Amino acid sequence: MEKKDINWGELGFAYMPTDYRFVSNWKNGAWDDGALITDPNIVISECAGVLQYAQTVFEGLKAYTTEDGRIVCFRPDLNADRLEASCKRLQMPVFPKDRFVEAVREVVKANAAFVPPFGSGATLYLRPYMFGSDAVIGVKPATEYQFRILCTPVGPYFKGGVKPLTVRISDLDRAAPRGTGNIKAGLNYAMSLYNIVDAHNCGFDENIYLDPGTRTKIEETGGANIIFITKDNKVVTPKSDSILPSITRRSLLQVAQEYCGLEVEEREVELAEIGEFAECGLCGTAAVISPVGKIVDHGKEICMPAGMTEMGPVTKKLYDTLTGIQMGRLPAPEGWIVEIM
Ligand code: PLP
Ligand code: COI
């Protein structure tokens, strides 16, 4: 298979239409067989549930080329599980896990020419999503839905690759207590747009959100969970009901313990204690692990001892180990790597 003529090393995190996308429709209480199609456009009712009441959920995962030339995906079953949780919360039908994983395979295979080569620094990002597609005017769930998976080759999420980021403590909240912060609903991102544009205008790479109940504890950023490393090399990550259960973060905790021999703690993290940590990183599918060099809390700068030029040593070890597993350089725990071709 001949690869597309793309300058892989120059890719940022942006959308580029690829050759095929998977589509399945829910109507009269059942999913149809689904198919790969070539048309990137969607025609739906002007009154569709997604347009009126934001009834839409999504996922994000990647396909990687391994050093020995295979194409693999990382834990797609967990994306299917999280999509199920998101769908249930927004009164949407569940797309069965086995069909989800099969559709991921089909999309990656059909777009194999867009999977960036090993060592290019780029990957194929897959975006499974579902939305209410028929008309609703009263506030209620749609009765018809569309599930799709699009894919696009991407480079680093943050400009500058793995250069440490400067993030700020946000004055706005991304989630409400007992709200939807723990699912991947489009509405959680719509309400973050004002704040991310403002953060960028003020010179920050991202917003750190505090717990919406008390605003004293660290939660996550707009698009990634957070890990901290203590001065004695423990991995600490915030525990909260209103953050997204990141697949990267959950994998990293296991990697830290089983591959790197590090202690891990999932617990409440006070805003007041972040000056005591040695390293900080943002973790997610798009972010992978992006190091944080400086956290700014209303003018007060909290500088991570790891500095602003490179990733701290423990973060680097975790990064190398996780990406080593994802790219087939290191043996993976059972079931983590799904071979596509
Ligand atoms: N938190 C938020 C708000 C996100 O949007 C994402 C991205 O998916 C994550 C965390 C990281 O989750 P994952 O590691 O499953 O990609
Ligand atoms: C992902 O990491 O897959 C996300 O959905 C995060 C988003 C900021 C791109």
Side-chain angles (χ1 to χ4, degrees):
M1 168 261 318
E2 199 170 322
K3 292 284 177 189
K4 298 284 175 179
D5 182 18
I6 292 170
N7 194 351
W8 308 105
E10 293 298 308
L11 288 173
F13 197 87
Y15 169 73
M16 167 193 299
T18 50
D19 289 343
Y20 297 97
R21 58 279 301 133
F22 177 85
V23 183
S24 179
N25 288 294
W26 167 273
K27 199 171 174 172
N28 301 322
W31 290 108
D32 66 14
D33 288 344
L36 290 173
I37 61 162
T38 55
D39 187 355
N41 300 301
I42 300 174
V43 177
I44 48 174
S45 164
E46 63 183 350
C47 207
V50 59
L51 300 178
Q52 303 307 324
Y53 302 121
Q55 201 185 12
T56 180
V57 295
F58 68 99
E59 274 303 321
L61 71 159
K62 284 172 171 173
Y64 308 82
T65 303
T66 61
E67 199 161 9
D68 59 0
R70 291 170 299 132
I71 295 177
V72 301
C73 278
F74 186 69
R75 311 190 78 179
D77 53 315
L78 296 192
N79 293 98
D81 288 341
R82 193 171 59 189
L83 185 71
E84 175 172 343
S86 300
C87 286
K88 286 181 170 163
R89 180 68 175 80
L90 293 198
Q91 284 292 331
M92 299 166 78
V94 169
F95 196 75
K97 181 167 13 184
D98 55 338
R99 291 203 56 201
F100 179 99
V101 175
E102 188 47 38
V104 163
R105 282 180 186 281
E106 282 182 34
V107 171
V108 175
K109 244 189 217 162
N111 293 292
F114 287 93
V115 183
F118 177 80
S120 64
T123 51
L124 186 74
Y125 183 70
L126 283 95
R127 174 55 64 86
Y129 58 112
M130 193 193 296
F131 54 88
S133 53
D134 67 331
V136 287
I137 193 72
V139 177
K140 61 178 183 185
T143 59
E144 294 177 13
Y145 293 86
Q146 189 163 106
F147 169 73
R148 297 175 79 103
I149 305 180
L150 66 80
C151 66
T152 185
V154 295
Y157 187 66
F158 293 103
K159 285 198 297 286
V162 290
K163 202 175 132 313
L165 306 169
T166 300
V167 300
R168 72 173 180 187
I169 301 294
S170 171
D171 280 330
L172 300 177
D173 297 325
R174 83 172 264 286
R178 296 169 293 281
T180 55
N182 60 343
I183 60 161
K184 210 158 163 58
L187 58 92
N188 291 339
Y189 299 81
M191 49 62 58
S192 76
L193 297 177
Y194 171 83
N195 208 27
I196 190 65
V197 170
D198 187 56
H200 289 162
N201 287 341
C202 296
F204 301 103
D205 296 298
E206 251 290 10
N207 291 296
I208 289 189
Y209 291 98
L210 299 177
D211 73 293
T214 70
R215 309 206 89 253
T216 58
K217 294 181 273 280
I218 300 291
E219 295 246 299
E220 64 173 325
T221 65
N225 279 182
I226 304 180
I227 55 166
F228 294 99
I229 312 296
T230 62
K231 289 184 177 138
D232 58 356
N233 292 349
K234 207 180 282 171
V235 183
V236 177
T237 187
K239 188 178 173 71
S240 158
D241 291 338
S242 45
I243 68 179
L244 191 76
S246 157
I247 294 163
T248 313
R249 185 250 302 162
R250 285 180 278 158
S251 304
L252 271 175
L253 293 190
Q254 195 174 329
V255 163
Q257 287 175 286
E258 294 176 8
Y259 287 67
C260 307
L262 299 170
E263 256 182 79
V264 305
E265 262 180 19
E266 195 176 350
R267 61 161 171 88
E268 290 183 345
V269 174
E270 301 289 331
L271 171 61
E273 69 174 298
I274 58 177
E276 290 160 30
F277 291 114
E279 300 174 37
C280 175
L282 309 185
C283 64
T285 300
V288 194
I289 310 179
S290 300
V292 172
K294 196 192 286 183
I295 301 173
V296 181
D297 180 11
H298 301 91
K300 184 174 136 209
E301 295 196 345
I302 299 146
C303 298
M304 291 293 140
M308 289 304 288
T309 50
E310 54 192 81
M311 241 186 226
V314 178
T315 308
K316 176 91 170 74
K317 174 90 186 137
L318 290 172
Y319 178 93
D320 287 344
T321 311
L322 180 71
T323 55
I325 292 169
Q326 290 168 332
M327 315 248 176
R329 194 170 44 76
L330 294 172
E334 179 73 26
W336 280 25
I337 296 297
V338 170
E339 191 163 325
I340 310 288
M341 58 191 287

